Amino acid sequence: MAILAIETSCDETAVAIVNNRQVCSSIISSQIPVHQQYGGVVPEVASRQHLEIINDAIAQALDIAQVTWEQIDAIAATIAPGLVGALLVGITAAKTLAMLHNKPFLGVHHLEGHIYATYLSEPSLEPPFLSLLVSGGHTSLIHVKECGVYETLGQTRDDAAGEAFDKVARLLQLGYPGGPIIDRIAKEGNSQAFSLPEGRVSLPNGGYHRYDASFSGLKTAVLRLVQQLEKQGEVPVADIAASFQQTVARALTKRTITCAIDYGLNTIAVGGGVAANSALRESLQTACAERNLRVLFPPLKFCTDNAAMIGCAAAEHFSLGHTSALTIGVQSRLALGQVMKLYES
Ligand code: KG4
Ligand code: ZN
């Protein structure tokens, strides 16, 4: 089953052709250099960039995969959540192609894409499993019961994990996006140099929440540490980056393992940009090996935004007979629990 998928929810213009959990082609054109000068994504600039690139990206994806329109079974695009103007570019292209070539159309929830990205490295994976979804906008522990049926068991109370990486990188003046830069610099630092707060979420009974996370206190602690070290002289950036990264990895690992054990889910699939983080990968692998749990990650290049993961999610729905109406519109926000509203079957 060959799906042509488009992803334009934020600052990546991506098109892929996916066939039975295999990537036939994947074009990812990053706008990062364009947005870098502003220190973050500028929505209007993102939409214009998508518009300039989308047609070439579609042509390239077809060319590399060496498929004709007759061989494509369905056309999919990210429909929610994301920047409305950016989403509109991908959705409009997908719907137009679906009409032109008389193919079924599927609007895909971006987070379902991140959940199913692991299928690209582990094609035999099937629900149920626990998804640790860690991106720039989300940090959630999701019980994937079956395609389209999800229960969020834990989440961040404030900043998402990727957002915390980006904010800490900004205050260390390392540039944007912060995650990959901190990951690289941390390799030269000592992760035990500074003790930072893991950000427990307190409960009224005096205990703390077992699955929820909070990263804003950690970010503030790094800010105070930097201010204090600045007064004393030089700021050991690599040590701070390594200590911060290790704290995030430890916090996420503890909550994920506790949740997996409590719910009897012995497979954990990680997804989202922060799934590329080396400390998180190592920490989860070690903890899972000790407890006889299986942890799976997408291939590195499919952790951050891409269209192959959207193709994977679309294929799951399409195989169940789900398709979207051509009248359906983009949504800047949509809870994962509402995902079936995107389909008529
Ligand atoms: O999944 P993604 O590409 O976009 C969203 O859907 O949000 O995630 C982007 C986030 C950014 O915050 C970026 O800093 C972070 O993922 N990220 C990383 C790494 N690579 C990307 N964070 C930590 N370590 C990395 N190696
Ligand atoms: Zn994403």
Side-chain angles (χ1 to χ4, degrees):
M1 186 205 301
I3 310 264
L4 182 138
I6 301 176
E7 154 65 41
T8 61
S9 68
C10 191
D11 59 348
E12 243 83 49
T13 315
V15 182
I17 293 168
V18 179
N19 195 351
N20 292 329
R21 301 186 177 184
Q22 301 290 328
V23 183
C24 307
S25 62
S26 167
I27 309 296
I28 306 172
S29 173
S30 174
Q31 303 176 2
I32 288 173
V34 183
H35 297 286
Q36 234 152 13
Q37 56 188 308
Y38 308 107
V41 179
V42 182
E44 179 58 25
V45 175
S47 312
R48 282 165 189 258
Q49 290 288 317
H50 288 310
L51 265 179
E52 279 182 28
I53 290 167
I54 190 79
N55 286 341
D56 281 350
I58 293 167
Q60 269 188 52
L62 286 163
D63 192 35
I64 292 170
Q66 290 285 298
V67 294
T68 59
W69 285 110
E70 289 74 57
Q71 292 167 301
I72 300 282
D73 295 298
I75 299 174
T78 307
I79 198 159
L83 303 170
V84 166
L87 288 166
L88 264 172
V89 178
I91 281 294
T92 308
K95 285 181 181 175
T96 310
L97 290 170
M99 270 192 276
L100 198 65
H101 298 285
N102 200 19
K103 305 281 178 188
F105 160 74
L106 291 98
V108 176
H109 194 292
H110 183 77
L111 295 187
E112 270 195 310
H114 281 305
I115 290 173
Y116 295 113
T118 307
Y119 285 8
L120 299 170
S121 56
E122 200 66 31
S124 61
L125 179 62
E126 293 293 340
F129 57 86
L130 181 66
S131 166
L132 169 64
L133 216 152
V134 273
S135 69
H138 295 85
T139 295
S140 306
L141 279 164
I142 297 157
H143 183 176
V144 179
K145 297 179 178 179
E146 56 185 84
C147 175
V149 185
Y150 310 103
E151 186 185 358
T152 300
L153 302 173
Q155 55 198 324
T156 176
R157 295 295 177 104
D158 37 59
D159 294 347
E163 191 181 355
F165 271 94
D166 295 337
K167 286 180 176 171
V168 166
R170 196 175 309 148
L171 71 90
L172 291 172
Q173 297 176 347
L174 294 174
Y176 167 86
I181 309 174
I182 290 191
D183 201 350
R184 196 175 62 241
I185 289 178
K187 292 195 171 47
E188 285 137 41
N190 172 9
S191 63
Q192 309 300 314
F194 301 104
S195 166
L196 293 163
E198 242 176 62
R200 281 179 175 178
V201 177
S202 302
L203 289 171
N205 65 7
Y208 62 92
H209 203 286
R210 290 158 69 80
Y211 317 136
D212 281 0
S214 161
F215 293 115
S216 76
L218 170 59
K219 173 196 65 195
T220 309
V222 175
L223 175 64
R224 297 230 171 86
L225 177 66
V226 170
Q227 286 168 339
Q228 183 198 332
L229 291 166
E230 270 170 351
K231 280 187 207 146
Q232 293 168 9
E234 216 177 302
V235 178
V237 174
D239 286 349
I240 298 174
S243 303
F244 161 76
Q245 177 173 275
Q246 198 54 49
T247 309
V248 175
R250 194 170 55 235
L252 291 172
T253 301
K254 270 191 196 168
R255 285 154 182 77
T256 307
I257 299 286
T258 308
C259 189
I261 292 172
D262 286 355
Y263 280 81
L265 295 164
N266 51 21
T267 298
I268 298 161
V270 193
V274 185
N277 186 263
S278 56
L280 179 63
R281 284 183 171 233
E282 202 182 310
S283 154
L284 276 169
Q285 265 154 355
T286 308
C288 286
E290 282 166 6
R291 290 162 186 86
N292 232 359
L293 298 169
R294 184 166 73 134
V295 63
L296 304 167
F297 299 89
L300 269 183
K301 65 177 170 190
F302 298 126
C303 289
T304 44
D305 290 348
N306 65 87
M309 67 181 196
I310 301 302
C312 267
E316 293 309 297
H317 281 288
F318 193 51
S319 67
L320 295 171
H322 304 161
T323 56
S324 304
L326 284 172
T327 46
I328 193 169
V330 303
Q331 293 182 53
S332 61
R333 304 172 74 120
L334 180 71
L336 201 52
Q338 305 285 304
V339 80
M340 287 311 296
K341 287 192 173 166
L342 299 174
Y343 303 108
E344 30 181 45
S345 52

